[in-house]
Amino acid sequence: MPHDNPPRDRSARSLRRATLALLGSGIACATLLTCKRPTSTGESPLPSASAPLPAGSSVPERCTAAAKGAVFTLGKAGPRAPADADDEPAAQPFAVEIGDAAALETGFAVTALQSSGAETRALIASIPPDAARGKVVDLGRVHGDAEPPRLAAQGARIFFALADHDPASARLRVGMLAETGGSLQVTWGFETSRTGRGASAFDLAVTRKRGLLVWEEMDARAERQLVRVASFSLENPAAVTEPKTLAAGSLEQEMPAAVPRGSGYWLAWVASAPTPRPGAAAGARPTVKPSRVAPEGSSDPAPSVLDFGNRWIEIVALDENAAPIGAPQAVTPRDRHVLIFDLAESADGGALLAWRDDDSAPGAESRIVHLARVNAGGAVERFVIDDEEVGAGAPSLLSDTKASAPTWLALESVTHDTRIAALSARGDVLDELRAEGAIGNADVLAARDGRLLLGRPRGLAAELRVVACKPGAPKTAPRASAH
């Protein structure tokens, strides 16, 4: 039976790009490659995942091209890289930046930013299940360091949240795309303004009747970042509930992510209680945020994740009007240092999470990804993947539109190939975490009916392809211990 709410990509590369820049900057204990993290209490290790298959291996590939040679290109393509190129495609100045993706009834939708000179424009592309063609809608110019739009889908309708900036504040606009007379028409909904430093991350989710917009906003009086939510009607995106702040006590809330949960939502974020620097006044906030890196040539020491106090993931169930159902609960231990996470819904009403953290002194290498399953009643199970082939960067969870299809976990390897593994609704690894020749080093963006949408830079453009994937041979894995 299909999901009521077609899922979408939760990798949030664009929303997390500042964090990922930190991960790749070589900062000690922030690269995820120079810090050893022991297995946490309450987490069970999964068997070591296999390395990419050698040439001539008898193990069958799990993914094949959905349509041979079918590629949809966003932007002006440059020369194609050699087929046997080992290097990851490098992003170029003014290149198309792929953002969010969603599975539709009739294919996929993808957002992007395209820059030309001093102007940046936000785009949404709608493509069929094989990516052989597509339609592109220009949402207009955006200003400042804007993120690509966020997406959510209900049936054939595409809902989006567009970020923009002016010198004093940032604003979010909600809109809808629907096909009329063979073309996609934009209907603009409500708008909200955000003020203060550091307010950047936002997300969008929809159920059958309503949508949820969630964003970070700085509380100037308390000098801390909090999560704000508002619910809107799918029939009229301009009809919105009064935005409200979710109670956080004295904690900060960052990096919110939301997915549908039947007739409501799961909402997760990173909570923190920053530890003052030595000699700082009581209650003072750290002067360096995780998304900031010491400039090249600077004499200032590089920031460490340990400067920011404990950072853990919290999750709460919301109803369709964005009212909390119960109190937020911690998914991870509160003594963690979570850097980045991803959230996906499961077919049975639960939620799956994947994250990277850094909780010890620098010096030894480790390749650990943490996973958790939150069931419909709120119980949490946690386990880890500890694998020397796991590279830096964010884990990606992609739920399929088919309730019987697996959720896919995608991770970058140390060789920059993308490795995938099929997960059950309970979070069990069904096969192996390994690379696929049909995917290579492309980003996995969304899943629909057994097909995965892939994105990859090509010169100043971005190429979108689709592969058909199914789980490989079953593997025995220990269950996670209950939390």
Side-chain angles (χ1 to χ4, degrees):
M1 180 177 180
H3 287 308
D4 288 337
N5 312 288
R8 62 181 176 76
D9 168 42
R10 305 298 321 160
S11 61
R13 291 171 314 284
S14 59
L15 284 177
R16 315 298 203 266
R17 61 184 173 178
T19 305
L20 291 178
L22 178 68
L23 300 185
S25 66
I27 297 173
C29 207
T31 62
L32 300 178
L33 303 180
T34 56
C35 301
K36 185 175 182 179
R37 290 168 296 282
T39 300
S40 305
T41 302
E43 295 177 334
S44 297
L46 296 175
S48 179
S50 67
L53 293 176
S57 170
S58 60
V59 179
E61 292 283 339
R62 294 169 294 178
C63 300
T64 57
K68 188 175 180 180
V71 177
F72 182 71
T73 302
L74 271 173
K76 184 179 179 181
R80 185 182 297 275
D84 59 349
D86 294 326
D87 295 333
E88 181 180 20
Q92 299 183 29
F94 306 117
V96 171
E97 178 186 354
I98 296 177
D100 204 3
L104 309 175
E105 275 185 344
T106 56
F108 299 95
V110 181
T111 71
L113 294 180
Q114 184 173 28
S115 297
S116 176
E119 182 175 282
T120 300
R121 305 189 74 84
L123 310 175
I124 296 181
S126 174
I127 62 175
D130 60 2
R133 60 189 185 281
K135 300 176 181 178
V136 179
V137 176
D138 188 335
L139 299 179
R141 185 178 181 182
V142 294
H143 305 80
D145 189 23
E147 302 287 349
R150 299 295 294 170
L151 279 183
Q154 181 55 243
R157 293 180 296 178
I158 302 168
F159 296 87
F160 62 89
L162 176 67
D164 202 356
H165 297 268
D166 60 37
S169 65
R171 62 175 182 161
L172 288 172
R173 300 177 69 192
V174 170
M176 178 180 70
L177 275 177
E179 188 162 337
T180 303
S183 62
L184 291 172
Q185 302 295 324
V186 178
T187 300
W188 289 101
F190 77 95
E191 178 180 322
T192 183
S193 294
R194 305 173 295 167
T195 59
R197 59 185 176 84
S200 59
F202 61 100
D203 204 2
L204 188 72
V206 297
T207 65
R208 281 177 148 186
K209 297 179 180 179
R210 298 193 64 81
L212 177 77
L213 179 67
V214 55
W215 66 95
E216 295 175 357
E217 188 163 315
M218 180 61 62
D219 183 334
R221 182 177 301 176
E223 292 190 348
R224 58 193 174 97
Q225 212 155 251
L226 299 174
V227 167
R228 299 267 285 168
V229 295
S231 173
F232 60 93
S233 167
L234 298 193
E235 300 306 319
N236 179 14
V240 61
T241 60
E242 185 69 24
K244 57 193 170 192
T245 301
L246 296 180
S250 60
L251 302 178
E252 281 205 53
Q253 300 166 319
E254 301 175 80
M255 298 168 63
V259 294
R261 184 192 60 86
S263 59
Y265 313 93
W266 287 110
L267 174 60
W269 59 78
V270 173
S272 61
T275 302
R277 295 180 181 275
R285 293 165 49 85
T287 57
V288 180
K289 295 294 288 181
S291 59
R292 294 176 58 185
V293 178
E296 185 176 353
S298 170
S299 59
D300 294 335
S304 165
V305 172
L306 300 179
D307 292 337
F308 309 115
N310 297 332
R311 294 166 52 84
W312 63 94
I313 299 173
E314 293 187 342
I315 194 167
V316 67
L318 305 179
D319 67 18
E320 278 193 317
N321 292 312
I325 303 172
Q329 62 175 316
V331 175
T332 67
R334 293 175 181 263
D335 61 352
R336 300 293 88 185
H337 297 84
V338 173
L339 294 174
I340 192 124
F341 79 97
D342 200 9
L343 171 69
E345 70 272 32
S346 60
D348 59 0
L352 296 175
L353 297 100
W355 67 93
R356 309 292 295 265
D357 74 23
D358 191 347
D359 59 3
S360 64
E365 288 190 0
S366 181
R367 304 289 195 277
I368 294 180
V369 176
H370 300 258
L371 301 172
R373 147 83 176 168
V374 183
N375 69 22
V380 179
E381 296 175 292
R382 299 193 305 269
F383 48 100
V384 298
I385 293 177
D386 188 353
D387 177 12
E388 289 303 311
E389 294 296 324
V390 172
S396 217
L397 292 171
L398 302 110
S399 297
D400 201 291
T401 52
K402 267 189 178 178
S404 59
T407 293
W408 291 95
L409 169 68
L411 293 166
E412 183 181 335
S413 72
V414 292
T415 60
H416 302 303
D417 285 324
T418 297
R419 305 171 79 212
I420 63 171
L423 306 179
S424 72
R426 293 181 57 84
D428 294 304
V429 176
L430 299 176
D431 48 17
E432 292 181 302
L433 179 64
R434 59 179 171 85
E436 292 291 319
I439 295 178
N441 54 18
D443 288 326
V444 184
L445 305 175
R448 178 192 180 276
D449 199 15
R451 297 185 175 197
L452 300 181
L453 176 66
L454 309 179
R456 173 188 169 112
R458 181 187 169 190
L460 299 181
E463 289 184 343
L464 300 172
R465 298 185 289 117
V466 174
V467 293
C469 298
K470 59 184 179 180
K475 297 296 177 181
T476 302
R479 283 300 308 146
S481 58
H483 172 59

